Amino acid sequence: MTDIRPTIRLKPKANARAIRHGAPWVYDNEIVTDRRTKALAPGTIAVLEDEGRIPLATVAVTPASRIFARVLDRDPAAEIGPDWLRDRIAIALALRERLYAAPFYRLIHAEADGLPGVVIDRFGEVAVIQPNAAWADRLIDDLAAALVSVTGVSVVVKNAAGRARALEGLDDVSLVLIGQDPQAVAVPMNGATYVADILGGQKTGLYYDQRPNHAFAAGLAQGARVLDVFSHVGGFSLAALAGGAASALAVDGSAPALALAEEGAALSGVADRFATRAGDAFAVLEALAEEGARFDMVICDPPAFAPAKPALEAGLRAYERVARAAAGLVVEGGYLGLCSCSHAVDLARFRTACNRGIGRAGRSAQLIHTGFAGPDHPQHPQLAESGYLKALFYRLIP
Ligand code: SAH
């Protein structure tokens, strides 16, 4: 098999040892490129060799991308087909089945689960694939079939909305690959029931990564008046209500997301304690301050203000603004949860921005907990970027 595969070779200065030690990516400036390598179709399976032509790994190549090659298997002779895909999915499934009583989780978290660029979320009988790398887009039918055979799901959807797809030269057409269009699905999590819109919603319909942070907030929520800003389908507010919150107000710019949150509140049996407000979060925070509204807990979970390095400074200012506006709405002795899902903003920088915002609001605080993405979002040890989600929980004190 392998002898008919194209080969690509590392430049003498490239770090072959990093690949031998498990680094998942090879950048374009590390590869000897010529007309032949540049002409490889995006997603081509190839053998990566070191400068002395010793095979290092089986890789997937996208010549037009900065990430020229992604390591699929450290065995240079690995056959990337149905069996291989099934093995990878089965290994990922074993962890999730151990972690969760019900089949609602991120099943595949890309490089960390051995399927570079591939994200798969599971909603019971429904699985949603985001093939954000060309190799996976080419093998999408095999991937969908492997998913059905390993997990037993009956519906497989392809979500092509990911921003990374353009870098791989891929289209943005989402579609149902197997089974019927599932539309909205009910998802049990932390004692609440969420409603996720699989094809129309953002991301893959639900933010599983926040599950442990939802749980932490819920644990503080007994009797609390909760404000959930950037709520999406009610991530923090429905968990807080299930945890005994007196009331929750969910704020989001997306009216469809809030409509799903209302549906979730009804299914969770908490609709009488739940309200929503559609609008720009900054404007709503300001309006609430003017109205004199105060809350026992405020959570802000904005979209990535700094998805990449060039946006870092502006992103940090936006996080500080959010912290300042939100802190002003928390009663003394109340709680403030601030989240960032920006890859480019590390924990220390994010904490500094939040601390400054709280200080500028004239408030004092204790940092009581730092949360991250849940264990169904494992991190690849050599990809710092995969630790993107941070959640800081403060108690505001006199
Ligand atoms: N807190 C949610 C996830 C939030 S995702 C959870 O735990 O599940 C970020 C949300 O911010 C999205 O729903 C998006 O619609 C919303 N959003 C983005 N920009 C906004 C803005 N300027 N004002 C209000 N909402 C905004």
Side-chain angles (χ1 to χ4, degrees), residues 189 194 202-203 205-211 214 228-237 251-255 257-258 277-284 299-305 339 341:
M189 200 160 65
Y194 297 89
Q202 301 159 18
K203 215 176 167 186
L206 201 74
Y207 291 87
Y208 280 132
D209 54 355
Q210 285 283 24
R211 174 179 351 219
H214 294 161
D228 178 8
V229 189
F230 305 98
S231 67
H232 191 233
V233 300
F236 282 95
S237 34
V251 175
D252 202 280
S254 159
L258 291 177
R277 209 189 271 206
D280 173 65
F282 292 96
V284 173
I299 309 283
C300 296
D301 179 19
F305 285 147
C339 310
C341 58

Side-chain angles (χ1 to χ4, degrees), residues 99-126:
L99 289 168
Y100 304 109
F104 296 87
Y105 38 67
R106 172 148 298 183
L107 174 61
I108 297 290
H109 194 47
E111 274 73 357
D113 280 306
L115 293 176
V118 178
V119 168
I120 303 178
D121 282 344
R122 180 171 186 188
F123 305 88
E125 286 299 295
V126 180

Side-chain angles (χ1 to χ4, degrees), residues 9-358:
R9 191 159 26 99
L10 287 177
K11 285 183 180 163
K13 283 215 189 87
N15 192 353
R17 201 192 299 157
I19 296 293
R20 287 198 172 89
H21 290 178
W25 293 345
V26 186
Y27 291 101
D28 54 359
N29 59 1
E30 299 176 300
I31 292 286
V32 178
T33 46
D34 52 24
R35 229 181 318 148
R36 181 187 62 85
T37 53
K38 282 189 195 136
L40 292 172
T44 298
I45 308 294
V47 176
L48 175 70
E49 298 177 339
D50 71 7
E51 58 167 305
R53 297 195 183 275
I54 295 171
L56 289 173
T58 299
V59 297
V61 173
T62 302
S65 166
R66 266 282 282 135
I67 303 172
F68 192 97
R70 297 166 187 263
V71 176
L72 296 179
D73 202 301
R74 290 164 79 174
D75 174 2
E79 196 175 321
I80 310 303
D83 289 343
W84 186 87
L85 291 167
R86 276 197 294 272
D87 283 352
R88 293 282 154 117
I89 295 169
I91 292 166
L93 180 65
L95 171 67
R96 279 65 178 185
E97 287 188 330
R98 196 163 267 270
L99 289 168
Y100 304 109
F104 296 87
Y105 38 67
R106 172 148 298 183
L107 174 61
I108 297 290
H109 194 47
E111 274 73 357
D113 280 306
L115 293 176
V118 178
V119 168
I120 303 178
D121 282 344
R122 180 171 186 188
F123 305 88
E125 286 299 295
V126 180
V128 181
I129 308 179
Q130 296 181 56
N132 294 331
W135 76 271
D137 209 64
R138 292 184 87 178
L139 292 180
I140 190 73
D141 291 327
D142 286 342
L143 193 53
L147 200 48
V148 169
S149 99
V150 175
T151 65
V153 296
S154 54
V155 178
V156 180
V157 171
K158 168 177 160 179
N159 177 326
R163 269 178 295 132
R165 284 178 60 88
L167 301 174
E168 293 275 318
L170 300 171
D171 64 49
D172 59 357
V173 182
S174 295
L175 66 150
V176 179
L177 297 168
I178 293 174
Q180 298 288 310
D181 182 349
Q183 298 184 346
V185 295
V187 180
M189 200 160 65
N190 289 314
T193 302
Y194 297 89
V195 179
D197 177 1
I198 299 297
L199 267 182
Q202 301 159 18
K203 215 176 167 186
T204 57
L206 201 74
Y207 291 87
Y208 280 132
D209 54 355
Q210 285 283 24
R211 174 179 351 219
N213 302 318
H214 294 161
F216 185 80
L220 291 172
Q222 185 65 46
R225 294 161 296 170
V226 176
L227 174 64
D228 178 8
V229 189
F230 305 98
S231 67
H232 191 233
V233 300
F236 282 95
S237 34
L238 298 189
L241 289 168
S247 66
L249 173 62
V251 175
D252 202 280
S254 159
L258 291 177
L260 293 168
E262 306 262 10
E263 279 183 49
L267 289 179
S268 305
V270 298
D272 55 330
R273 293 180 278 147
F274 183 64
T276 62
R277 209 189 271 206
D280 173 65
F282 292 96
V284 173
L285 285 170
E286 216 168 278
L288 288 167
E290 270 167 30
E291 293 162 25
R294 290 295 178 271
F295 299 88
D296 304 300
M297 182 187 298
V298 176
I299 309 283
C300 296
D301 179 19
F305 285 147
K309 287 214 178 83
L312 182 61
E313 291 307 321
L316 289 172
R317 281 195 298 276
Y319 287 119
E320 182 183 323
R321 249 181 95 201
V322 166
R324 179 180 188 171
L329 296 174
V330 181
V331 299
E332 230 154 65
Y335 298 93
L336 175 61
L338 300 169
C339 310
S340 165
C341 58
S342 295
H343 289 273
V345 176
D346 64 14
L347 177 60
R349 283 201 178 93
F350 178 57
R351 205 170 37 211
T352 302
C354 292
N355 293 345
R356 194 175 288 163
I358 293 169

